[in-house]
Amino acid sequence: MGKTIIISNRLPVQLQISNGRINAVPSVGGLATGMKSVHSGGDSLWIGWSGLTDEEIPDELGDDIDRALAEHGSSKVKLTAEEVDGFYYGFSNRTIWPLFHYFLEYSEFELASWNTYKAVNQKFADAILEKASEDDIIWVHDYQLMLVPQMVREQWPNISIGFFLHIPFPSFEIFRTMPWREEVLQGLLGSDLIGFHTYDYERHFLSSVRRILGLEVSFNDIYVDNRVIKVDSFPMGIDYKKFKNAAEEHAQRNPDELSELQKRLNKHKISDPENKFLLSIDRLDYSKGIAKRLYAFEYFLNKYPQYKEKVRLIILAVPSRSNVPQYQLLKKEIDELVGRINGEFATVSWTPIWYFYRSMPFENLIDLYTSSDIAWLTPLRDGMNLVAKEYIATRTDKTGVLILSEMAGSANEMNESLLINPNNFEQIADSLYEAINMPKEEQQARNGILQKRLERYNVEKWANDFMNSLKEQKDRDAANVSSRITEPRLNAILEDYKKAKKRLLFLDYDGTLAGFHNDPQKAGPDKELFDLLDALYNQQNTTVFLISGRDKDTFTRWFLEKKYNMIVEHGVWISRNGEDFKLLENVKNDWMEKIRPVLESFVDRTPGSFIEEKNYSLAWHYRKTDPDFGNLRATELSTVLRSLIGTDDLSVLNGNKVMEVKSSNVNKGRAAMRMMGEDDYDFVFAIGDDWTDEFMFQELPESTVTVKVGRQKTAAKYFVENTRKVRELLNSFAKA
Ligand code: GDG
């Protein structure tokens, strides 16, 4: 087992240079704490940017910095000021951050910063390739590094990579506006496991993967060529004990041990015990909805004037990204709003808002959490929001009310709080009223449940769950790989092939010999395929059948003059040596008149779908429809058809983006078995990609070499990844 490598934009330590000496101080942020169980001992390495640009690091201190970082299991990626500008302040925070938080109007699509983002992601990937090895486990964090997984995968195909996104993943409608959406998705798909805070972000991501890349998704697995990528939600928790213990310790302090801030807070409490403190803590970021909260506070004071002089709003806005223009504008807006509201409502003995624009030490954070009767957190969008969880963890006597925006990821797990829509001032004002008047018992009942949950699913559990899931995914992959046609396995198959006296091959066409096309008529054979089939067809002692669900007219056009053996419409028709197609099965088609109008009504209601009419079957194709809508309609159609056909001799086949109605006595397995019975074959081979090919895999005898194209569940013995690999395999037969 290798090491664990963690990669994030920033390292979990801060560098301080004083008097030419370097000091590395561990950061106290949630991520750094959460990763403690993963990043410990000598078995892990954290790679990230140190926070100092190349220009800020004196040449002579380079080695000292590396040594200081190494003491904390960290290693730095060097970035110039220009790179930080384009990569961090540019693409990360002026494109991805606003877009992923639904602030479309703030998103800038600048080619130059995208290029810097790519180049810097490559630097991070290179740092991994330099410091890690292929048997290590890599965990990449957050939106600044979305291209890193694929960059590493290209060099190390078998490496285990997990990615966690700490911010929301937006709906497809938002994500699709980004010019480089394909590259970003491809970058992420270099991972084995992709984690999000909530199921909503997960399904938005899967929807983009299907719609933008057209990839096959089954539940939360994505199939990409030879890999299966798992997508899951892991709601991040907090270091519960740390906050609980700090609050307990805080409660036991002597008055003279209290911080200045706490002393001041207490003074106000004592002078007016009825007065309620409302607390708002966030980084100063437009996604946090601070300005809107101020407007809502004004609305509340007007709606419930009896609370003038009875409530006080404490706002801690932590400076953030202050060289991005949007943040400067926001700061100005908030400064002015606080001034205006205080000006409007203040009395000689009361200032409604206390506003702090700074970062406070941990101790003061605890002062604020423990002193506030209500935590009022109303982000417009927030990946998770840890402040909400921290507030609850510090409420040692279980009192206190949390008012939380339903747009925060944490709202999913904090149902016992008062959930609000941050745009609904009426609801917010009423929730503040409810919070102020909530009986103590009710507060304690709600918080008791919340605390239990937060204590159990803490940040350590979050990190361990993610790592375990990543390891499981690798094991699952290894188990799957056991059915891959490896070099030795191929050699063994080829030996049998050569030794055989009579060989019989069944080759499915669409998705096997040729890739899919939105218009099935355009997916015709190419020169390379003809050459391959000619070579097989001309081989001694070899009978080759193209076996397909296609109609006979198309195959007549494509292949008849080649004289290949063909079975079409799943086994209704057969043609050998260039003869016209003959019926292989006795089938009826008088049912079509009844079923066609049903399919037509589905075509009318499902844009992009169409009917393919064959002699003895009707197929409803939906490859070109919206994937979710298509699947929904397919399920609906399946139910309608099943109730219609009842006990008739018809069956409904669910193929790859096609649903086909046909006689139930026809399928590829039955047809293949009939061909087998015609001679004494000692090497039988069947290959196909779709559900309809499973009939062959199931019905042909055990000794058959059955091969599935793709990684879906199958009765076949082996799999190959894609049509290119199919052709390689058949080429090796042709040369045997
Ligand atoms: C991103 C996502 C997601 C705040 N002020 C001070 C201070 N803090 C600490 C809090 C808390 C953290 O900062 C803030 O975390 P949040 O989760 O609330 O928000 P973001 O910084 O936007 O984090 C977010 C998170 O990543 C994790 O995945 O939840 O949605 O946006 O821990 O305690 N700490 C100190 N002084 C302060 O003034 N010491």
Side-chain angles (χ1 to χ4, degrees):
M1 193 50 158
K3 298 188 292 299
T4 302
I5 312 282
I6 304 155
I7 303 97
S8 62
N9 173 41
R10 291 296 298 273
L11 285 170
V13 284
Q14 299 217 330
L15 287 180
Q16 292 163 353
I17 306 181
S18 65
N19 299 331
R21 283 175 53 99
I22 290 290
N23 203 9
V25 191
S27 339
V28 286
L31 185 59
T33 339
M35 302 298 283
K36 253 189 214 152
S37 55
V38 179
H39 180 56
S40 58
D43 284 345
S44 71
L45 178 68
W46 196 315
I47 297 175
W49 178 50
S50 68
L52 296 177
T53 62
D54 289 354
E55 292 82 349
E56 286 166 322
I57 301 177
D59 286 344
E60 65 279 10
L61 287 185
D63 291 346
D64 290 353
I65 288 181
D66 289 346
R67 264 193 297 276
L69 292 177
E71 279 172 24
H72 296 274
S74 299
S75 171
K76 70 173 195 299
V77 175
K78 288 172 71 194
L79 297 181
T80 64
E82 198 181 339
E83 283 170 334
V84 173
D85 207 44
F87 151 74
Y88 182 69
Y89 294 111
F91 197 74
S92 298
N93 287 325
R94 290 199 198 188
T95 307
I96 301 286
W97 179 274
L99 193 69
F100 281 34
H101 286 87
Y102 293 75
F103 285 84
L104 201 56
E105 69 279 22
Y106 292 173
S107 291
E108 295 172 13
F109 300 129
E110 294 280 346
L111 184 60
S113 56
W114 162 246
N115 283 333
T116 313
Y117 182 82
K118 274 197 293 189
V120 171
N121 269 249
Q122 189 62 57
K123 273 193 151 184
F124 277 81
D126 290 345
I128 298 171
L129 294 168
E130 188 195 323
K131 306 273 176 195
S133 63
E134 204 168 351
D135 64 343
D136 291 342
I137 293 192
I138 315 276
W139 186 354
V140 185
H141 286 270
D142 227 359
Y143 65 105
Q144 302 92 350
L145 302 176
M146 291 191 287
L147 307 179
V148 169
Q150 182 56 24
M151 288 170 167
V152 175
R153 173 79 53 204
E154 273 160 21
Q155 301 304 317
W156 284 341
N158 298 317
I159 186 115
S160 184
I161 307 179
F163 180 92
F164 189 84
L165 188 73
H166 288 262
I167 64 173
F169 194 93
S171 91
F172 160 73
E173 289 298 341
I174 297 285
F175 183 72
R176 74 196 298 200
T177 60
M178 182 165 59
W180 309 281
R181 59 204 183 177
E182 286 89 357
E183 287 96 322
V184 167
L185 292 178
Q186 300 283 13
L188 290 169
L189 291 181
S191 321
D192 296 294
L193 173 68
I194 304 175
F196 298 95
H197 281 306
T198 73
Y199 172 67
D200 282 333
Y201 309 154
E202 175 188 335
R203 73 184 170 80
H204 289 155
F205 174 72
L206 288 174
S207 159
S208 280
V209 164
R210 268 183 304 156
R211 285 150 198 252
I212 295 171
L213 300 181
L215 288 174
E216 187 74 28
V217 175
S218 162
F219 296 101
N220 55 347
D221 285 337
I222 305 173
Y223 295 87
V224 186
D225 279 355
N226 57 345
R227 297 190 305 117
V228 183
I229 296 149
K230 185 175 167 186
V231 180
D232 211 344
S233 55
F234 302 87
M236 187 174 174
I238 55 164
D239 185 350
Y240 186 82
K241 277 212 180 80
K242 177 176 148 186
F243 285 90
K244 180 174 179 252
N245 293 346
E248 277 169 355
E249 191 268 329
H250 181 273
Q252 279 155 15
R253 277 191 198 172
N254 294 323
D256 57 327
E257 289 171 340
L258 296 174
S259 69
E260 270 316 300
L261 175 68
Q262 188 65 60
K263 285 181 191 156
R264 295 290 173 102
L265 292 169
N266 288 352
K267 222 172 101 191
H268 282 273
K269 276 268 169 199
I270 293 160
S271 70
D272 185 0
E274 291 306 303
N275 207 315
K276 300 277 184 190
F277 284 159
L278 315 182
L279 177 66
S280 140
I281 297 189
D282 324 79
R283 275 185 308 99
L284 192 126
D285 194 297
Y286 46 79
S287 66
K288 305 285 183 182
I290 306 172
K292 229 174 205 161
R293 202 172 312 158
L294 286 165
Y295 283 114
F297 187 53
E298 183 182 29
Y299 190 91
F300 165 78
L301 290 176
N302 283 323
K303 182 166 182 189
Y304 295 104
Q306 66 269 40
Y307 290 109
K308 285 181 191 167
E309 299 200 312
K310 294 281 169 238
V311 293
R312 179 165 276 125
L313 174 59
I314 306 174
I315 296 190
L316 172 60
V318 181
S320 177
R321 304 169 199 170
S322 43
N323 40 357
V324 174
Q326 288 304 345
Y327 289 74
Q328 294 160 358
L329 285 174
L330 180 68
K331 162 87 175 37
K332 193 162 169 276
E333 185 187 1
I334 292 173
D335 287 353
E336 286 170 8
L337 263 174
V338 170
R340 186 171 67 70
I341 296 172
N342 273 343
E344 188 181 339
F345 293 96
T347 61
V348 272
S349 55
W350 178 63
T351 318
I353 303 169
W354 284 340
Y355 171 43
F356 303 93
Y357 175 66
R358 73 191 72 147
S359 172
M360 289 196 181
F362 179 72
E363 187 195 6
N364 288 149
L365 205 64
I366 301 295
D367 294 338
L368 290 175
Y369 284 153
T370 51
S371 307
S372 300
D373 306 282
I374 296 165
W376 188 26
L377 306 168
T378 60
L380 301 174
R381 276 300 150 176
D382 211 339
M384 174 52 70
N385 194 302
L386 298 178
V387 172
K389 296 185 171 182
E390 293 168 2
Y391 172 72
I392 295 294
T394 60
R395 308 301 301 182
T396 48
D397 66 354
K398 295 192 172 56
T399 60
V401 183
L402 170 63
I403 302 179
L404 179 62
S405 163
E406 60 193 33
M407 310 296 173
S410 50
N412 289 293
E413 304 157 76
M414 305 189 84
N415 249 313
E416 292 75 12
S417 60
L418 299 183
L419 295 180
I420 52 96
N421 171 354
N423 303 304
N424 186 342
F425 286 7
E426 197 64 19
Q427 185 196 26
I428 295 176
D430 293 345
S431 297
L432 283 172
Y433 180 88
E434 187 184 347
I436 293 166
N437 294 292
M438 189 182 281
K440 201 170 157 187
E441 299 69 38
E442 185 180 343
Q443 298 176 23
Q444 289 172 325
R446 287 171 184 259
N447 292 340
I449 304 172
L450 286 169
Q451 287 181 346
K452 267 206 192 115
R453 197 175 302 138
L454 293 177
E455 187 165 17
R456 199 174 52 245
Y457 203 86
N458 58 27
V459 71
E460 194 176 331
K461 175 116 180 48
W462 166 81
N464 289 339
D465 272 8
F466 185 89
M467 283 308 271
N468 289 338
S469 181
L470 179 55
K471 285 174 196 155
E472 267 169 31
Q473 181 62 8
K474 206 63 200 169
D475 294 345
R476 212 175 86 171
D477 207 45
N480 269 334
V481 167
S482 65
S483 57
R484 174 177 291 152
I485 302 193
T486 53
E487 186 84 27
R489 214 168 252 156
L490 175 64
N491 290 338
I493 296 172
L494 286 175
E495 269 316 298
D496 291 346
Y497 191 88
K498 282 187 224 163
K499 269 194 276 167
K501 295 198 174 61
K502 277 196 175 148
R503 304 182 278 234
L504 177 61
L505 314 181
F506 294 105
L507 316 177
D508 166 53
Y509 183 78
D510 292 279
T512 302
L513 293 176
F516 284 106
H517 201 284
N518 276 344
D519 179 352
Q521 289 306 321
K522 289 197 177 136
D526 51 280
K527 161 104 176 45
E528 184 195 87
L529 182 60
F530 278 127
D531 291 347
L532 172 62
L533 292 174
D534 284 346
L536 288 172
Y537 190 79
N538 292 328
Q539 236 175 358
Q540 290 291 306
N541 305 323
T542 311
T543 306
V544 183
F545 272 97
L546 299 180
I547 186 161
S548 169
R550 286 252 181 191
D551 66 287
K552 74 177 170 40
D553 298 338
T554 308
F555 264 37
T556 302
R557 228 171 340 106
W558 287 350
F559 300 117
L560 195 73
E561 65 173 19
K562 285 285 191 179
K563 302 190 175 169
Y564 300 150
N565 301 316
M566 299 179 274
I567 293 172
V568 295
E569 292 195 25
H570 303 286
V572 176
W573 301 97
I574 183 163
S575 156
R576 298 188 227 221
N577 302 319
E579 291 165 7
D580 282 346
F581 274 99
K582 287 203 281 278
L583 277 176
L584 181 63
E585 289 288 348
N586 212 353
V587 282
K588 292 195 241 161
N589 60 4
D590 51 356
W591 52 270
M592 285 186 169
E593 293 312 310
K594 281 189 233 146
I595 299 294
R596 191 182 299 104
V598 177
L599 296 189
E600 277 165 355
S601 80
F602 273 75
V603 168
D604 292 341
R605 294 184 301 127
T606 319
S609 74
F610 62 93
I611 299 173
E612 185 187 2
E613 187 146 342
K614 307 181 195 176
N615 300 69
Y616 290 92
S617 70
L618 287 173
W620 178 70
H621 288 267
Y622 58 100
R623 182 168 302 280
K624 277 195 287 187
T625 63
D626 172 285
D628 285 330
F629 187 52
N631 287 343
L632 206 74
R633 279 279 192 256
T635 313
E636 192 186 333
L637 177 59
S638 166
T639 315
V640 172
L641 288 174
R642 272 176 227 289
S643 69
L644 260 181
I645 60 186
T647 54
D648 254 349
D649 300 334
L650 294 178
S651 60
V652 181
L653 285 185
N654 283 315
N656 194 332
K657 300 285 178 200
V658 54
M659 186 163 281
E660 185 154 1
V661 190
K662 58 171 204 46
S663 295
S664 32
N665 64 343
V666 175
N667 68 51
K668 287 184 180 179
R670 191 176 150 121
M673 284 303 284
R674 284 185 59 169
M675 296 305 106
M676 246 202 88
E678 290 187 349
D679 209 335
D680 226 355
Y681 294 105
D682 53 354
F683 181 95
V684 184
F685 172 88
I687 188 164
D689 69 304
D690 168 326
W691 199 78
T692 61
D693 299 305
E694 294 293 320
F695 285 107
M696 290 198 286
F697 303 152
Q698 278 160 7
E699 292 189 29
L700 286 164
E702 177 55 29
S703 56
T704 309
V705 177
T706 47
V707 182
K708 171 91 171 176
V709 187
R711 300 288 297 267
Q712 286 88 339
K713 205 167 169 299
T714 180
K717 281 188 196 143
Y718 307 111
F719 79 89
V720 291
E721 291 88 353
N722 48 37
T723 54
R724 192 169 44 78
K725 295 272 181 189
V726 175
R727 291 188 183 195
E728 278 171 27
L729 175 64
L730 295 178
N731 248 315
S732 58
F733 283 179
K735 289 189 188 123

